[in-house]
């Protein structure tokens, strides 16, 4: 039985205006009220999605989110951490060496702010976040020594992101899960971290398994959760890799694809 519905945000749950449509909100709210676990799965930290959690009413004692693309499983109400995998400054330094040679921007996500590393050029990440996170513009040398970092991102034009990923040296690929979350954003996650890993930890906490899970996604960073869920749903606007991996394809994110499939599956 499906007990948990996990949703990517951009271009999946959210429409092109970065909003949850009235139809998606109505269906998800009803399912949550009927006892289904609704879990937002995103690369963003919890403070950046609080407005979405409140909109959907996902603020109870048993409501959780998967953030940092699976690196952090956190209670929506209390902020309590159920599971976490992080990077240290030494790991970030591996990326700075390559970025210095191949010239791509880096932003490091810490516990309460994003550190935009100024020596690697202007990043688009602050614009992407649209005021949802606090940013500090610093040199790598000033990055705190004792903080745990959720991930590192490179936000740049699509062609720069593609070139960056294509040329990743083995030293980095051995220590990071390097995956795009959109054409203009490359994510450097701790080794072994993905959304399915976070969801598995959450389901285990509730005494359940991936057999109880339905997932929705559109991009490569959704691949593992689409493949491993009992029901993996790709949006019609998803990349071919996700469509091929999915059990079913629903309408696109501007056509209430999430709500349409949930209504059909649960016979609402």
């Amino acid at each position: 039985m499906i007990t948990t519905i996990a949703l990517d945000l951009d271009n999946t749950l959210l429409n092109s205006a970065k909003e949850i449509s009235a139809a998606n909100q109505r269906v998800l709210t009803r399912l949550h009220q009927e006892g289904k676990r609704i879990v937002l799965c995103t690369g963003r930290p919890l403070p950046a999605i609080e407005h979405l959690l409140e909109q959907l009413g996902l603020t109870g004692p048993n409501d959780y989110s998967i953030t940092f693309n699976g690196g952090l499983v956190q209670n929506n109400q209390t902020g309590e951490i159920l599971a976490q995998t992080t990077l240290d400054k030494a790991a970030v330094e591996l990326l700075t060496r390559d970025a210095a040679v191949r010239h791509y921007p880096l932003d490091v996500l810490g516990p309460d702010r994003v550190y935009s590393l100024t020596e690697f050029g202007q990043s688009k990440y602050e614009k992407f976040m649209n005021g949802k996170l606090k940013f500090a513009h610093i040199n790598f040398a000033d990055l705190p020594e004792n903080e745990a970092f959720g991930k590192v991102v490179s936000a740049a034009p699509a062609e720069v992101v593609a070139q960056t990923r294509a040329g990743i040296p083995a030293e980095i690929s051995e220590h990071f899960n390097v995956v795009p979350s959109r054409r203009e954003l490359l994510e450097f996650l701790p080794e072994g971290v993905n959304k399915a890993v976070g969801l598995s930890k959450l389901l285990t906490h509730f005494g359940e398994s991936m057999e109880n899970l339905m997932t929705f996604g559109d991009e490569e960073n959704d691949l593992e959760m689409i493949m491993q869920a009992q029901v993996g749903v790709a949006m019609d606007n998803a990349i071919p890799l996700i469509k091929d991996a999915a059990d079913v394809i629903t309408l696109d994110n501007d056509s209430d694809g999430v709500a349409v499939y949930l209504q059909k599956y649960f016979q609402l």
Side-chain angles (χ1 to χ4, degrees), residues 163-185:
Q163 291 169 4
T164 299
R165 188 188 190 196
I168 290 294
E171 182 182 34
I172 290 177
S173 59
E174 289 171 0
H175 291 88
F176 294 86
N177 176 18
V178 184
V179 61
S181 56
R182 66 181 84 171
R183 294 177 66 240
E184 301 85 8
L185 188 63

Side-chain angles (χ1 to χ4, degrees), residues 1-5 34-37 203 208-214 230-231 265-266:
M1 181 179 72
I2 298 298
T3 63
T4 304
I5 301 163
E34 292 178 356
K36 299 299 181 187
R37 194 175 297 116
L203 288 162
E208 298 174 2
S209 73
M210 301 298 264
E211 293 182 355
N212 302 111
L213 179 65
M214 175 185 291
Q230 179 69 22
V231 182
Y265 186 91
F266 290 105

